[in-house]
Amino acid sequence: MAEMSLWSADLARLGAEIARTDPFADLYHIDVADGHFAPALLFFPDLVAVCRRSTAKPLHVHLMASDVILEAQIRQFADAGADAISIHAENQNLEVCLDLIDSLGLVAGIVLQVQTPVAAADAFLDRIGLLTLLGTRIGVKGQALDAQAADRLREAKRTTPGPIVLCADGGIRENTVPDLAKAGARTVVMGSLAFGSENLAERMAWIHAQPVERGLA
């Protein structure tokens, strides 16, 4: 399954970019960062609302926000049209916020930074539909995949119930996708690998040929 990261789209032509990729996307991945939890400033609710008007495909919001604003951000992005919201295991109010996401009728997810043990999500596995393992540091483009990424996915696959969609995010390249898929990733978050492709249909056929299950639980 392919999540297309809109961080790599031409944001000046966002509607056109979604129209171009929509026949091939399984869902869209939207990175949101507040400049504190993550070093970048990325996306905001009004822009997600534009995405919602431009596609019927699921919108997966990856929320990188400080605890003090996390609950408010969840509500704002739910109102903007998100179908799924993933928050970080490193957030202190994780349990309350997972409850909030569920109460809003959305799929809840947890994201693990590269330095966070996979076991940090164990206590919450019965409350989520998505578990995303980052293969690079948050908020910085163009990094190489962390050497432990595939091993961490294999560990997560052993402990994660089947209905949960296991996601790989960061360092997604033509040479890394096969190993990540074999390690257990059921979806990969594609940035330039999708939006920079000269033949998107061919690229997506290759992605869908990988041993990755399709469908958002």
Side-chain angles (χ1 to χ4, degrees):
M1 185 164 68
E3 295 189 49
M4 291 197 179
S5 174
L6 290 172
W7 189 11
S8 292
D10 180 350
L11 297 183
R13 303 175 59 253
L14 184 57
E17 288 281 75
I18 291 174
R20 176 173 70 90
T21 57
D22 213 52
F24 310 103
D26 295 307
L27 61 156
Y28 288 99
H29 186 95
I30 301 176
D31 287 304
V32 174
D34 64 357
H36 297 281
F37 188 92
L41 284 169
L42 295 171
F43 279 82
F44 50 90
D46 286 349
L47 202 52
V48 172
V50 171
C51 299
R52 179 73 292 157
R53 293 194 297 270
S54 302
T55 182
K57 297 289 178 69
L59 302 180
H60 176 199
V61 170
H62 169 198
L63 193 50
M64 295 170 274
S66 302
D67 294 309
V68 67
I69 63 169
L70 188 58
E71 290 184 52
Q73 291 280 279
I74 289 169
R75 293 184 186 278
Q76 289 176 41
F77 283 99
D79 288 344
D83 296 287
I85 296 179
S86 288
I87 58 178
H88 272 262
E90 300 84 18
N91 283 118
Q92 297 303 304
N93 49 349
L94 185 62
E95 187 168 359
V96 169
C97 288
L98 288 174
D99 283 344
L100 176 59
I101 294 168
D102 182 67
S103 74
L104 294 169
L106 308 183
V107 176
I110 288 177
V111 183
L112 301 172
Q113 294 192 55
V114 291
Q115 75 275 11
T116 301
V118 172
D122 285 355
F124 308 99
L125 293 178
D126 61 343
R127 308 170 71 165
I128 62 173
L130 296 156
L131 178 61
T132 300
L133 273 64
L134 299 185
T136 56
R137 290 180 295 114
I138 60 173
V140 182
K141 280 187 177 182
Q143 301 171 70
L145 185 69
D146 186 90
Q148 300 301 311
D151 286 340
R152 284 166 55 81
L153 281 165
R154 278 187 278 271
E155 179 183 352
K157 185 179 180 182
R158 289 193 297 269
T159 60
T160 302
I164 295 176
V165 176
L166 191 58
C167 313
D169 184 5
I172 305 302
R173 303 287 185 269
E174 190 168 0
N175 64 314
T176 63
V177 167
D179 287 342
L180 294 172
K182 290 175 185 176
R186 288 174 57 190
T187 181
V188 294
V189 179
M190 301 174 65
S192 59
L193 194 62
F195 286 96
S197 175
E198 294 182 0
N199 188 327
L200 187 54
E202 183 178 283
R203 172 71 73 199
M204 299 312 295
W206 173 77
I207 285 286
H208 287 145
Q210 302 297 317
V212 180
E213 294 186 40
R214 301 185 67 183
L216 178 59

